[in-house]
Amino acid sequence: MTDDAPEHIADELLAWFDRHGRHDLPWQHPRTAYRVWVAEIMLQQTQVATVIDYFNAFMARFPDVHALAAAEADDVMAHWAGLGYYARARNLHAAARRLVAEYDGRFPRSVESLMALPGIGRSTAGAIVAQAFGVWAPILDGNAKRVIARLAAIEATPGTAAYDKPLWRLAERYTPETRITDYTQAIMDLGATLCTRRNPQCAACPLADRCLSYRRSLQHRIPAPRRRSARAQRETTMLVVADEAGRVLLEKRPPAGIWGGLWSLPEKPAERDLHAFCRERFGIEVRDAGALEPMRHAFTHFELLIHARRVQLRGTARIMEGEFEWFARDARPGLPAPVARLLDAPQQTLNL
DNA sequence: AAGCCGGGGGG
DNA sequence: CCCCCAGGCTT
């Protein structure tokens, strides 16, 4: 299947990149290892257009690896709120501290060393050494996978070893010895701008004449669609507990799991009585102020139906330490997007 | 090898 | 509504 795949693509790809590639992304100027690393982590499963504002704000607050390592975890999480995949932020922070402790803040230049850091796999490690240091290394992000799968007419289903294994072998074959930084950017740019998932612009592609999919008119069928399974439904009840001053009680979620490490609204088990639960969990007496409009939130593998209930504190707010805290409206930490939407809904803003 | 993690954008 | 996106970690 891949034996008749093209042998070389770098020359044509680089010539195209010089004229049509992306040369003004924020992490390209200046292109330090720290900036490339942070960008690569943010760009995992997240589109460029979404990342740019987060990246610039992150760099303004944490300009180098020492600043990031010295920061509080909450501060890092707050700058990630809304980006999703919060394990990325926890890993980024942990890796920054290890880089400072073990490497004096200087990035190692080998794929193997970088892969030993949390959150950095083979493709991200390759992108960092290629882009920051000009070291030869293949990458295989979503763009490169699609470009190479089409070039070699890989018909296996994405997400399987039958798909990934030949792609890594071909990624190694195509990665040139020279202009490694530009090549890495070029194959991603081709995938992002011409060799797109739908409606690939083959007429403008510098590799069309050697692309097996194009020559066989398979470019619309490769990559094959992923198998999709029915999305499970889940429900939860969240409490909007407000005190007299309009502050809201938030809970820091455990590090693992959904929204790990983020502040959010406390959840009440469905079977628990509201008053008993608040008494035992928070040590407060409350008045039930009624249900809010349920909110749906779609995750990749399930859909969450959030039943929110407004609860008024009776008496004085206790000072709480640790996993629960009272937050004034303008002092809220970063929240998961649906929780932020819930608190910002018109029915909420009236009395909070 | 397969399942899991979050939110946004585009068709 | 559907699918995918500069993937990696866990089991």
Side-chain angles (χ1 to χ4, degrees):
Chain A
M1 178 193 302
T2 61
D3 295 337
D4 50 353
E7 286 293 330
H8 307 285
I9 61 171
D11 290 346
E12 290 74 11
L13 190 52
L14 285 164
W16 171 85
F17 172 74
D18 288 338
R19 295 177 56 90
H20 304 289
R22 296 180 290 191
H23 301 271
D24 295 308
L25 296 167
W27 41 92
Q28 295 174 326
H29 309 287
R31 188 148 45 190
T32 66
Y34 173 71
R35 291 166 61 87
V36 169
W37 169 52
V38 172
E40 288 297 328
I41 302 302
M42 287 187 171
L43 287 160
Q44 289 171 359
Q45 303 300 95
T46 308
Q47 296 177 2
V48 170
T50 303
V51 162
I52 288 176
D53 287 346
Y54 280 90
F55 177 83
N56 288 328
F58 200 92
M59 283 302 138
R61 173 61 188 85
F62 312 110
D64 57 42
V65 68
H66 298 281
L68 180 56
E72 295 292 333
D74 276 4
D75 200 0
V76 179
M77 297 308 292
H79 282 77
W80 211 271
L83 257 188
Y85 278 98
Y86 298 96
R88 294 183 296 175
R90 288 199 307 279
N91 288 335
L92 191 78
H93 193 211
R97 293 186 163 179
R98 281 186 50 183
L99 283 164
V100 167
E102 299 173 22
Y103 296 97
D104 197 23
R106 289 186 286 270
F107 281 70
R109 295 180 171 237
S110 77
V111 168
E112 294 72 21
S113 300
L114 288 169
M115 284 181 69
L117 297 170
I120 302 181
R122 186 178 177 190
S123 186
T124 298
I128 293 170
V129 300
Q131 298 217 341
F133 302 128
V135 170
W136 185 93
I139 62 154
L140 198 58
D141 72 311
N143 289 306
K145 281 185 178 179
R146 189 173 53 255
V147 168
I148 296 173
R150 282 191 173 132
L151 277 171
I154 308 286
E155 300 191 63
T157 302
T160 66
Y163 184 70
D164 283 352
K165 203 172 172 187
L167 290 182
W168 270 113
R169 190 173 55 76
L170 290 164
E172 293 172 0
R173 181 199 292 184
Y174 293 143
T175 303
E177 296 292 339
T178 59
R179 292 194 67 186
I180 181 68
T181 304
D182 286 344
Y183 172 82
T184 300
Q185 188 64 47
I187 195 164
M188 291 192 286
D189 287 357
L190 189 77
T193 61
L194 293 185
C195 195
T196 49
R197 184 68 181 84
R198 273 181 301 265
N199 301 322
Q201 306 295 306
C202 301
C205 179
L207 307 177
D209 64 347
R210 61 188 69 189
C211 175
L212 293 188
S213 293
Y214 182 63
R215 286 159 57 175
R216 299 172 187 172
S217 296
L218 292 173
Q219 68 269 33
H220 296 286
R221 281 192 281 168
I222 293 177
R226 291 171 180 273
R227 290 186 287 270
R228 62 168 184 266
S229 50
R231 198 148 56 187
Q233 305 289 317
R234 295 190 204 169
E235 296 185 37
T236 186
T237 300
M238 293 186 177
L239 302 180
V240 184
V241 186
D243 70 2
E244 297 279 339
R247 297 182 304 171
V248 172
L249 185 61
L250 298 180
E251 168 184 15
K252 187 187 280 188
R253 299 183 61 91
I258 297 168
W259 302 329
L262 244 63
W263 289 90
S264 183
L265 291 171
E267 291 185 86
K268 182 186 78 65
E271 71 279 4
R272 294 299 309 275
D273 172 76
L274 173 68
H275 299 89
F277 177 76
C278 288
R279 198 175 301 129
E280 290 176 23
R281 193 67 181 268
F282 313 126
I284 58 176
E285 298 294 327
V286 299
R287 181 177 64 82
D288 188 350
L292 302 174
E293 189 69 18
M295 176 165 296
R296 278 183 195 288
H297 182 67
F299 292 83
T300 306
H301 297 287
F302 64 94
E303 186 176 86
L304 188 64
L305 181 59
I306 302 172
H307 302 280
R309 185 160 280 279
R310 202 155 73 195
V311 175
Q312 187 66 38
L313 174 72
R314 300 169 64 187
T316 312
R318 295 174 50 213
I319 304 298
M320 295 191 177
E321 300 285 338
E323 61 178 342
F324 304 105
E325 272 183 43
W326 296 95
F327 284 94
R329 175 170 197 79
D330 57 2
R332 284 196 325 227
L335 297 171
V339 175
R341 279 201 302 277
L342 202 150
L343 284 175
D344 288 335
Q347 57 183 351
Q348 277 304 308
T349 56
L350 296 177
N351 291 329
L352 291 185

